[in-house]
Amino acid sequence: MEPARILIVDDEPFNLDLLEQELELLGHASVRAANGRAALDRLSEEPFDLVLLDVMMPALDGYAVLERMKAHEAWRHTPVVMISALMEIGSIVRCIELGAFDYLPKPFEPVILEARIRSCLERKRAHDREVAHLRAIERERKRADELLHAILPVSAVAELMETGQVRPRLFGDVAVLFVDLVGFTTWCHDQSPDVVVAEIQRLAEAFEVVAQARGLENIKTIGDAFMATANLLRPHDDPVSAAIRCAADMVAIAAEGQPGWRIRGGIHIGPVVGGIVGRTKFTFDLWGDTVNVAARLSGLGDGCALHLSRAAFERLPDRRDVRPIGAVTLKGKGAVDVYCHPLAPGDAARP
């Protein structure tokens, strides 16, 4: 049996000495308490695997100590063996009803004492293993919930947990923003993996913060590109302007990196299909022409500019900074009218 830490409570020094000797022979460590109040003080100071508790003590007897232990959140699962010369059946029943694990008469037989201690400790350790297991399950459940909330929208998490799936939906009038780092692939060839990942992490975290602040939903990171939406899961009365301000926020953040990044972006607005993909590793993603056009627009130019579709341009209440560049052929789409908005940190200051 593994050594245990046992609290022995008795107002007779001789009984404490005797119990201490027996416990030492069994390989257990013991702590003394000469009365009920001292026992409660000891319990407040440190945890014990077992309490051997005398019934008849002055001031605060064993019944009172036992009752307080079973009412205390931290002590209630600590097994208690009552030890007393009082062998009235009523006293034994009272102790068991109050929550004592067992009752041992004085003078006790060492063999019976050992059996009682062994039984109590086995029960206590089984309970401790169960509690540890439940806590581990709770930690994993909490971690799983945190991961789900990190990669899925709140409404999608709620539906997934309730039904085990998330139905794909058609969302209308969604502004899709793609932001791309200019020259990232070339830069990567001369850097260590740690440096590359650290820079992407910095930018991904920053993009998540500014997207949230501007009322956008951060959807995903694709290599060196970042995708966000406005008016998808949270209503927005001016989604295109919000997307422009979000991209402008990223200009200064990107420039702070070691290479001094220039960024370019694309914005289109229209309907999208959103849903969850994956069986054990879930990802919330969007599909549709609106997404494809925004992605193609983000690849135009050499940086520090946003390219907007006609639909996005027409939704702008303030078009002073936007200039038309004419029809541009986009892969898989053909010729589309494109408008250019310069990206400068000063644009982010606008409300």
Side-chain angles (χ1 to χ4, degrees), residues 98-224:
L98 287 174
F101 181 76
D102 214 330
Y103 196 102
L104 190 65
K106 290 180 183 180
F108 58 83
E109 287 289 337
V111 175
I112 297 177
L113 176 65
E114 180 181 3
R116 297 288 196 271
I117 291 174
R118 182 184 297 274
S119 178
C120 284
L121 292 178
E122 287 177 352
R123 177 179 175 179
K124 174 67 163 53
R125 282 163 183 162
H127 174 267
D128 289 347
R129 287 193 296 270
E130 181 181 0
V131 169
H133 181 62
L134 291 174
R135 286 175 178 170
I137 292 175
E138 179 61 22
R139 283 196 301 270
E140 290 303 312
R141 186 200 64 77
K142 184 177 179 181
R143 180 172 177 271
D145 287 350
E146 290 172 349
L147 287 172
L148 281 176
H149 281 90
I151 62 176
L152 302 179
V154 174
S155 59
V157 173
E159 184 177 343
L160 181 65
M161 296 182 72
E162 182 178 348
T163 67
Q165 61 182 354
V166 178
R167 294 181 298 104
R169 290 182 174 84
L170 177 65
F171 300 86
D173 203 36
V174 177
V176 178
L177 165 68
F178 274 88
V179 172
D180 178 47
L181 302 177
V182 178
F184 180 81
T185 302
T186 302
W187 176 79
C188 284
H189 293 322
D190 299 325
Q191 310 299 323
S192 68
D194 289 346
V195 171
V196 173
V197 172
E199 182 62 9
I200 286 293
Q201 180 68 19
R202 180 186 76 85
L203 291 166
E205 290 178 359
F207 187 64
E208 183 175 343
V209 170
V210 298
Q212 179 74 19
R214 292 298 186 180
L216 277 71
E217 300 96 2
N218 183 35
I219 302 299
K220 63 181 177 180
T221 300
I222 315 161
D224 61 332

Side-chain angles (χ1 to χ4, degrees), residues 30-307:
S30 62
V31 174
R32 293 182 172 215
N35 55 64
R37 298 192 186 281
L40 295 177
D41 290 340
R42 288 290 192 180
L43 287 165
S44 299
E45 294 169 359
E46 58 180 310
F48 291 93
D49 299 303
L50 172 65
V51 177
L52 301 179
L53 180 61
D54 186 27
V55 173
M56 304 305 295
M57 293 181 293
L60 196 66
D61 61 21
Y63 302 127
V65 174
L66 179 59
E67 193 169 9
R68 294 191 187 187
M69 285 185 64
K70 295 307 172 182
H72 194 285
E73 181 65 29
W75 305 339
R76 66 177 54 178
H77 296 295
T78 302
V80 179
V81 174
M82 308 301 290
I83 300 179
S84 179
L86 187 64
M87 287 305 295
E88 295 178 359
I89 191 67
S91 177
I92 297 174
V93 170
R94 183 180 178 188
C95 290
I96 298 302
E97 288 179 343
L98 287 174
F101 181 76
D102 214 330
Y103 196 102
L104 190 65
K106 290 180 183 180
F108 58 83
E109 287 289 337
V111 175
I112 297 177
L113 176 65
E114 180 181 3
R116 297 288 196 271
I117 291 174
R118 182 184 297 274
S119 178
C120 284
L121 292 178
E122 287 177 352
R123 177 179 175 179
K124 174 67 163 53
R125 282 163 183 162
H127 174 267
D128 289 347
R129 287 193 296 270
E130 181 181 0
V131 169
H133 181 62
L134 291 174
R135 286 175 178 170
I137 292 175
E138 179 61 22
R139 283 196 301 270
E140 290 303 312
R141 186 200 64 77
K142 184 177 179 181
R143 180 172 177 271
D145 287 350
E146 290 172 349
L147 287 172
L148 281 176
H149 281 90
I151 62 176
L152 302 179
V154 174
S155 59
V157 173
E159 184 177 343
L160 181 65
M161 296 182 72
E162 182 178 348
T163 67
Q165 61 182 354
V166 178
R167 294 181 298 104
R169 290 182 174 84
L170 177 65
F171 300 86
D173 203 36
V174 177
V176 178
L177 165 68
F178 274 88
V179 172
D180 178 47
L181 302 177
V182 178
F184 180 81
T185 302
T186 302
W187 176 79
C188 284
H189 293 322
D190 299 325
Q191 310 299 323
S192 68
D194 289 346
V195 171
V196 173
V197 172
E199 182 62 9
I200 286 293
Q201 180 68 19
R202 180 186 76 85
L203 291 166
E205 290 178 359
F207 187 64
E208 183 175 343
V209 170
V210 298
Q212 179 74 19
R214 292 298 186 180
L216 277 71
E217 300 96 2
N218 183 35
I219 302 299
K220 63 181 177 180
T221 300
I222 315 161
D224 61 332
F226 306 95
M227 175 185 175
T229 59
N231 204 41
L232 177 73
L233 300 172
R234 290 182 292 169
H236 204 297
D237 57 2
D238 190 4
V240 175
S241 296
I244 291 174
R245 287 191 288 269
C246 180
D249 288 333
M250 282 296 293
V251 173
I253 294 170
E256 292 172 358
Q258 182 184 10
W261 297 112
R262 290 178 297 114
I263 65 172
R264 57 192 174 190
I267 299 175
H268 186 34
I269 188 167
V272 298
V273 174
I276 303 295
V277 293
R279 180 177 294 273
T280 58
K281 295 184 178 181
F282 301 108
T283 302
F284 181 77
D285 210 345
L286 301 178
W287 302 273
D289 187 64
T290 304
V291 176
N292 295 336
V293 170
R296 298 286 186 266
L297 289 171
S298 70
L300 301 178
D302 59 358
C304 291
L306 273 174
H307 288 89

